[in-house]
């Protein structure tokens, strides 16, 4: 394990995460775990006991933040996710989740917000600093109603309660309150609630609202009672999005049906959008492909008979993708705060680290400038996970979570995306990754 010490990065360019211009010919000094000062090389004076690390031609930015991951420890494709994820031992999934978190760190993501049981324990493990890992902002399992997005209907309720890594079933305001309190007891930094369906299973439709306003308000009230707790609302249809905003949820996850009225309301309330673009826009391209030969289900999907004979064509999938993109562009144009969240869920479906980097590239592909995407992936994402007081920008007093690059990250999305440009990652002032390998 490398020890923390005091050092100064010299002859660098600083991208501070605020959205401002690149600061050329600069230095950044770290004392222990925190940034001590940033200045121009013309004003630099060395201090005794502070190591000089000269990195001419390199750019230093805040460590990246992924505000939506599932460190589930599963191995599956879409068709076998219940067997591939839920039916494996919880201990095995927990051990695999260490690898998953470390893959994110290797791609420059020094902080992640996790929705799974594993996050409770990963955060404790990495804080001990015996092995490298990102800061894990833990939601714990998301709140789902019986039969909701996190309730895996192929198994008995008792089995889901014991082995379901993603969700905790809660029905009615009092059960919702109890579930929030249970997660907070385990150390939750944030609470996730599935307000709408998610289109993963035959009875889990995006267009359905899964919680009442009374239940949703109970969740937010109970979470916010412990000050600083963020509430993240999975909301994929317009009604669910508006309910989540009105109930006081802090972030909207996915949010494919944002119109100008909802965007205006989000700006007024300060509600942050975590759009998970790479997954949402490509849902019917990469995960459930439609076309002349649609995928054959591994089991009959005669769950809701009224839906059994509804055909979803390739045209349907493209219309969904277009509407999701339009929703994002509407939010962006209105000035909604937008954070990076990948919704990486399990391998091989979404490769950890790689999928988060693809989400950065998607932010630019669908409308952001590269500097806007850098701001989203650092400052705004740190706010989305409730950690903007400690990280997300480069300024004196903030934690020294740093990503050092060989090219200007504001010039092209490929600089952040392509790991070949990544030279170093520092966590809490410790050199942790060099050229994609752990230094520990």
């Amino acid at each position: 394990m490398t020890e923390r010490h005091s050092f100064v990065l010299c002859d660098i360019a600083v991208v501070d995460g605020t959205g401002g211009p690149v600061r050329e010919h600069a230095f950044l000094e770290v004392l222990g775990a925190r940034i001590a000062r940033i200045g121009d090389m013309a004003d630099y004076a060395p201090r005794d006991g502070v190591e000089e690390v000269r990195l001419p031609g390199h750019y230093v930015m805040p460590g990246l933040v992924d505000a939506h991951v599932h460190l589930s420890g599963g191995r599956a494709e879409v068709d076998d996710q219940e067997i591939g994820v839920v039916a494996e031992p919880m201990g095995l999934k927990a051990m695999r989740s260490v690898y998953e978190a470390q893959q994110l760190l290797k791609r420059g993501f020094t902080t992640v917000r996790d929705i799974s049981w594993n996050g409770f324990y990963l955060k404790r493990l990495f804080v001990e600093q015996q092995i490298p890992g990102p800061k894990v902002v833990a939601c714990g399992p998301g709140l789902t109603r019986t039969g909701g997005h996190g309730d895996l209907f192929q198994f008995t309720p008792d089995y889901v309660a014991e082995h379901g890594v993603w969700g905790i079933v809660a029905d009615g305001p009092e059960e919702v309150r109890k579930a929030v309190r249970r997660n907070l007891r385990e150390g939750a930094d944030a609470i996730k609630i599935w307000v709408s369906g998610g289109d993963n299973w035959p009875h889990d439709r995006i267009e359905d609202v899964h919680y009442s306003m009374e239940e949703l308000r109970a969740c937010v009230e109970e979470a916010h009672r412990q000050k600083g707790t963020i509430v993240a609302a999975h909301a994929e249809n317009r009604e669910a999005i508006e309910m989540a905003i009105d109930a006081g949820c802090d972030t909207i996850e996915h949010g494919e049906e944002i119109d100008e009225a909802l965007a205006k309301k989000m700006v007024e309330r300060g509600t942050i959008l975590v759009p998970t673009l790479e997954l949402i826009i490509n849902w019917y391209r990469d995960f459930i492909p439609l076309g002349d030969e649609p995928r054959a289900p591994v089991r009959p999907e005669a769950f809701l008979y009224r839906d059994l004979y509804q055909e979803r064509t390739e045209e349907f999938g493209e219309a969904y993708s277009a509407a999701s993109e339009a929703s994002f562009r509407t939010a962006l144009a209105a000035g909604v705060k937008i954070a990076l969240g990948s919704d990486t869920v399990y391998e091989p479906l979404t490769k950890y680290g790689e999928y988060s980097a693809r989400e950065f590239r998607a932010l630019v592909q669908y409308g952001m400038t590269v500097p806007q995407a850098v701001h989203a992936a650092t400052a705004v994402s740190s706010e989305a996970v409730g950690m903007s007081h400690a990280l997300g920008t480069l300024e004196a007093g903030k934690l020294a979570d740093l990503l050092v690059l060989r090219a200007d990250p504001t010039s092209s999305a490929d600089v952040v995306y392509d790991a070949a440009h990544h030279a170093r990652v520092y966590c809490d002032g410790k050199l942790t990754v060099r050229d994609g390998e752990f230094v520990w």
Side-chain angles (χ1 to χ4, degrees):
M1 181 176 72
T2 59
E3 295 298 326
R4 271 195 214 99
H5 62 283
S6 300
F7 63 93
V8 56
L9 303 179
C10 296
D11 302 319
I12 58 171
V14 172
V15 179
D16 65 13
T18 65
V22 177
R23 186 172 187 171
E24 305 280 357
H25 309 297
F27 71 89
L28 185 150
E29 186 178 71
V30 175
L31 298 181
R34 296 184 180 269
I35 298 169
R37 56 181 178 142
I38 301 171
D40 297 327
M41 282 303 298
D43 302 323
Y44 171 66
R47 291 202 251 193
D48 291 341
V50 178
E51 178 190 7
E52 290 186 8
V53 180
R54 295 197 172 267
L55 294 171
H58 288 69
Y59 292 75
V60 180
M61 65 178 286
L64 300 165
V65 180
D66 190 330
H68 189 134
V69 300
H70 301 266
L71 300 171
S72 60
R75 292 294 177 269
E77 297 283 5
V78 165
D79 283 334
D80 66 339
Q81 60 185 306
E82 296 94 343
I83 300 299
V85 178
V86 181
E88 290 196 290
M90 291 290 275
L92 176 58
K93 288 182 284 193
M95 286 186 281
R96 281 203 191 118
S97 71
V98 176
Y99 150 82
E100 294 168 352
Q102 290 182 331
Q103 290 301 106
L104 283 151
L105 180 56
K106 284 186 174 184
R107 291 299 286 261
F109 288 85
T110 54
T111 300
V112 300
R113 182 174 65 181
D114 170 63
I115 302 101
S116 79
W117 278 104
N118 294 330
F120 286 147
Y121 314 116
L122 287 169
K123 64 180 285 189
R124 303 180 201 178
L125 174 68
F126 295 141
V127 164
E128 290 175 356
Q129 302 220 339
Q130 299 303 309
I131 61 174
K135 294 176 177 64
V136 177
V137 177
C139 292
L143 274 61
T144 180
R145 73 174 191 186
T146 297
H149 185 59
D151 183 7
L152 309 176
F153 75 99
Q154 295 290 344
F155 296 90
T156 65
D158 288 345
Y159 190 91
V160 172
E162 186 174 351
H163 296 275
V165 72
W166 295 309
I168 181 170
V169 175
D171 298 310
E174 292 313 307
E175 283 193 11
V176 166
R177 288 184 189 279
K178 187 66 177 283
V180 170
R181 289 177 180 178
R182 181 180 180 186
N183 280 358
L184 292 174
R185 178 183 184 272
E186 292 295 320
D189 303 289
I191 298 295
K192 166 75 175 291
I193 184 166
W194 281 290
V195 187
S196 77
D199 210 24
N200 281 56
W201 298 284
H203 66 323
D204 176 32
R205 300 177 300 187
I206 286 173
E207 60 265 29
D208 290 334
V209 175
H210 280 188
Y211 272 115
S212 69
M213 181 57 90
E214 185 182 13
E215 291 168 311
L216 190 52
R217 288 192 189 280
C219 173
V220 174
E221 179 183 284
E222 199 58 45
H224 286 174
R225 196 184 304 279
Q226 187 158 306
K227 292 178 174 58
T229 305
I230 297 290
V231 178
H234 168 113
E236 298 199 56
N237 62 66
R238 192 191 188 285
E239 182 180 357
I241 296 167
E242 187 160 36
M243 286 174 62
I245 297 168
D246 289 345
C249 293
D250 301 286
T251 69
I252 301 296
E253 312 297 306
H254 316 303
E256 298 99 305
E257 293 189 359
I258 294 173
D259 56 22
E260 290 183 3
L262 286 183
K264 182 174 184 252
K265 187 177 284 193
M266 291 178 74
V267 171
E268 291 171 350
R269 306 282 179 87
T271 312
I272 298 172
L273 173 64
V274 185
T276 64
L277 291 173
E278 183 69 18
L279 181 136
I280 290 296
I281 290 179
N282 295 306
W283 184 250
Y284 289 107
R285 297 168 183 165
D286 295 347
F287 306 110
I288 306 180
L290 307 172
D292 295 335
E293 295 183 9
R295 69 181 181 91
V298 295
R299 64 179 70 83
E301 292 191 348
F303 200 90
L304 296 176
Y305 225 122
R306 59 186 173 272
D307 292 348
L308 186 59
Y309 302 104
Q310 291 181 354
E311 289 189 55
R312 289 194 169 179
T313 64
E314 194 169 359
E315 290 73 22
F316 167 85
E318 289 304 315
Y320 170 78
S321 296
S324 300
E325 180 181 342
S327 173
F328 172 72
R329 290 184 183 275
T330 297
L332 180 62
V336 173
K337 293 180 182 179
I338 296 174
L340 183 150
S342 67
D343 206 1
T344 307
V345 63
Y346 44 75
E347 292 189 357
L349 190 70
T350 52
K351 187 168 177 58
Y352 287 85
E354 162 69 15
Y355 210 70
S356 298
R358 284 172 63 177
E359 182 64 21
F360 180 86
R361 195 170 58 179
L363 290 172
V364 176
Q365 179 181 353
Y366 295 111
M368 280 189 174
T369 65
V370 182
Q372 282 178 318
V374 170
H375 181 58
T378 54
V380 182
S381 290
S382 72
E383 184 179 351
V385 304
M387 291 293 292
S388 60
H389 61 288
L391 49 87
T393 56
L394 301 184
E395 54 188 299
K398 291 282 185 81
L399 291 170
D401 287 359
L402 313 173
L403 173 57
V404 182
L405 301 143
R406 297 186 175 91
D408 182 357
T410 67
S411 65
S412 167
D414 285 334
V415 174
V416 169
Y417 170 75
D418 188 348
H421 294 294
H422 295 200
R424 298 176 173 214
V425 178
Y426 291 86
C427 294
D428 294 335
K430 293 173 62 174
L431 177 60
T432 305
V433 180
R434 182 191 290 126
D435 294 327
E437 298 297 330
F438 285 127
V439 181
W440 202 256

